[in-house]
Amino acid sequence: MASNADTNDILYMKRCLELAQKGSGTTRPNPMVGAVIVRDGRIIGEGFHLRAGEPHAEVIAVNSVKNKSQLKGSTIYVSLEPCSHYGKTPPCADLIIGEGITRVVAGTTDTTSKVAGKGFEKLRNAGVEVTAGVLEEACRWMNRRFFTFHEKERPYVILKWAESSDNYIDVLRKQGDPAEPHWITGLSERVLVHRWRSEEDAILAGGATIRSDNPSLNVRYWSGPDPVKVIVSRSADIPSDSHIFTTPGRVLLFTQKEMPGTVPGTIITHGDDIPVNEILCSLYKEGIQSVIVEGGARILESFISSGLWDEARIFTGRKPFEKGIQSPGITGRIIEKQIFQGSELKIVVNESPGCS
C-alpha cells in the first residue's frame, strides 16, 4: 500500500475493484479496470472497462458525471495506471489532464511496455498529484492473468483436478470400458468448473483423458465463451468422433508425431515427453493469456514438476476408490477452502512460479 494513502483512498479503491470485477470474462485481452471520481467527499462518477476496443474505465467514469464543471479539482481512483498512448482508444492520462482532475489514486502500475509508468509520468509532468500502490496486491491479483502474460511471456496456468478421499484421480480402466468419466464431484461443483472455463482463454487435457472420458471441454452449465481446446498427445491418437471435434470451438493439438495435417491446429513439439515450456511458449504466441489444465495425471504432474503453474484448484471427494491412478502431489499456499455436499475444494497458489 502506498505510504500516503488514507482510509478514504482504501475505501474508494475497494469500490474500483468491485466495479472492475463486472468486466470479468469480457475484457480480454485487456485487463479489468474500475474507476471512481470523487469531489468533496462524494462520488460523482464511476465506471468500468467492459470490452477490448471500447472506452476505458476512466472514460466511462468521466462521461457519467452529469455536471462536468465538478471534474475540475476532483480526484479519480483507478485500479490500474491510466494509459498514456494511442491504441484503439485515446490516452486516458490526456483525458484526466484535460478535464482538470487534480489527483489520481491508482491501485498498481501497468507494467506492459507501452505504459510502464509513462502514464504516471505524464500526469505528474502536468501537475497532477499521483498516489500509486493502493491495495496493490488485490489489484494485481484481479489481473493476474494479464500481468503473468506480459511479465513472464506465458499464460497464467491453473491446474484443476478432482480426487477420491483416498487420493486417486481416476479408477483403473480395462480395455473395452466405455469412454466416460467416473464422477467424484456433484452438479454444484461441475457448474462451478464450467464458470471457471468461461473465465479462461484455453483448457488443456491429455490424449489419454480424451480417449477415456471423451469430454467436450466446453461451457455447458454456465453462460460464457468456450475456451480454446488444447490437447497434448504424443501419439496424436485421438478418435475423429471425439466430442472435442464434434462440438463447436477451436482445437489445438500438440503432438510429437509428424502428421499430414489432417487435424486442424496441429503443432509439432520436440524434446521432452510433455514439453510444458514449449507448449506455453506456443500458447503465448497465440495470444492466450490463461489456460486451465484438467488432466490427466501425467499432464498435471508435468506442469507441477516444471514449476510452470500459478494456481491449483483441487476437489477432494468423500468416497474412496480403493485403487486407481494416484493423484498428483503438490505444495503451495492454500488461500481458500470451500465445502460442497460431496467434496471439499481447496485453492493453492504457487509461491515461486517459474518463467518460460
Side-chain angles (χ1 to χ4, degrees):
M1 187 179 71
S3 59
N4 56 336
D6 60 22
T7 302
N8 287 331
D9 288 347
I10 294 170
L11 178 67
Y12 293 128
M13 190 57 66
K14 285 181 178 179
R15 177 58 181 162
C16 288
L17 289 168
E18 289 175 359
L19 290 165
Q21 190 63 45
K22 295 177 183 290
S24 177
T26 65
T27 66
R28 297 176 304 205
N30 287 1
M32 294 176 280
V33 183
V36 172
I37 302 175
V38 176
R39 176 70 186 269
D40 298 328
R42 183 173 64 90
I43 294 176
I44 61 172
E46 58 184 29
F48 63 94
H49 183 48
L50 178 61
R51 192 170 287 109
E54 295 186 5
H56 289 185
E58 298 95 320
V59 177
I60 299 293
V62 166
N63 289 342
S64 74
V65 178
K66 294 180 180 179
N67 181 358
K68 294 295 189 288
S69 66
Q70 291 185 303
L71 289 167
K72 294 187 184 300
S74 66
T75 296
I76 186 167
Y77 293 83
V78 60
S79 54
L80 184 68
E81 176 185 1
C83 63
S84 56
H85 65 285
Y86 281 89
K88 292 182 178 179
T89 59
C92 290
D94 288 357
L95 173 68
I96 291 167
I97 295 165
E99 293 292 348
I101 296 170
T102 54
R103 184 174 182 237
V104 172
V105 180
T108 187
T109 301
D110 182 341
T111 57
T112 57
S113 58
K114 289 182 178 179
V115 186
K118 298 183 185 74
F120 293 150
E121 182 181 8
K122 178 177 280 193
L123 291 165
R124 289 185 174 114
N125 287 341
V128 178
E129 179 187 349
V130 175
T131 300
V134 178
L135 296 184
E136 183 166 23
E137 184 176 350
C139 291
R140 282 186 59 87
W141 175 257
M142 169 170 285
N143 284 308
R144 56 198 183 277
R145 298 160 181 84
F146 174 81
F147 285 118
T148 297
F149 182 81
H150 288 284
E151 293 174 0
K152 299 186 176 181
E153 298 187 347
R154 66 164 175 83
Y156 186 85
V157 177
I158 300 169
L159 310 180
K160 172 263 165 185
W161 72 85
E163 59 186 43
S164 64
S165 62
D166 50 356
N167 305 119
Y168 292 108
I169 200 170
D170 198 2
V171 297
L172 296 175
R173 310 275 184 146
K174 299 191 296 290
Q175 188 172 4
D177 284 350
E180 59 185 15
H182 286 260
W183 292 111
I184 295 172
T185 57
L187 180 59
S188 296
E189 296 96 313
R190 292 200 283 276
V191 170
L192 176 58
V193 168
H194 282 234
R195 192 193 85 187
W196 290 344
R197 290 178 179 179
S198 75
E199 296 169 346
E200 310 309 332
D201 284 347
I203 181 171
L204 186 149
T209 297
I210 306 304
R211 291 187 293 271
S212 62
D213 292 352
N214 194 19
S216 297
L217 301 183
N218 60 5
V219 176
R220 301 184 301 283
Y221 300 137
W222 196 260
S223 175
D226 289 326
V228 175
K229 304 167 189 178
V230 180
I231 311 303
V232 180
S233 174
R234 182 172 57 177
S235 68
D237 181 18
I238 308 295
S240 60
D241 60 350
S242 297
H243 288 158
I244 59 166
F245 297 129
T246 59
T247 53
R250 183 184 178 202
V251 177
L252 290 175
L253 173 64
F254 287 88
T255 181
Q256 292 182 339
K257 182 179 180 181
E258 297 289 342
M259 302 176 65
T262 55
V263 178
T266 298
I267 299 172
I268 306 300
T269 61
H270 308 85
D272 297 338
D273 186 23
I274 301 176
V276 172
N277 190 72
E278 187 177 348
I279 291 167
L280 292 180
C281 283
S282 293
L283 296 181
Y284 172 78
K285 292 175 183 176
E286 293 283 340
I288 291 173
Q289 284 195 0
S290 64
V291 57
I292 183 166
V293 181
E294 293 201 14
R298 287 182 62 248
I299 295 287
L300 291 164
E301 287 166 354
S302 294
F303 275 87
I304 294 169
S305 63
S306 73
L308 293 169
W309 65 278
D310 300 284
E311 190 176 333
R313 301 170 182 178
I314 307 160
F315 292 99
T316 302
R318 309 206 186 284
K319 296 180 180 180
F321 278 177
E322 297 182 356
K323 59 182 179 180
I325 298 173
Q326 194 75 37
S327 61
I330 196 167
T331 57
R333 178 167 56 93
I334 298 174
I335 62 169
E336 184 179 338
K337 287 187 177 182
Q338 189 173 350
I339 304 296
F340 293 87
Q341 184 174 354
S343 70
E344 177 180 291
L345 167 67
K346 67 178 179 181
I347 298 179
V348 180
V349 292
N350 186 358
E351 295 189 290
S352 54
C355 300
S356 49

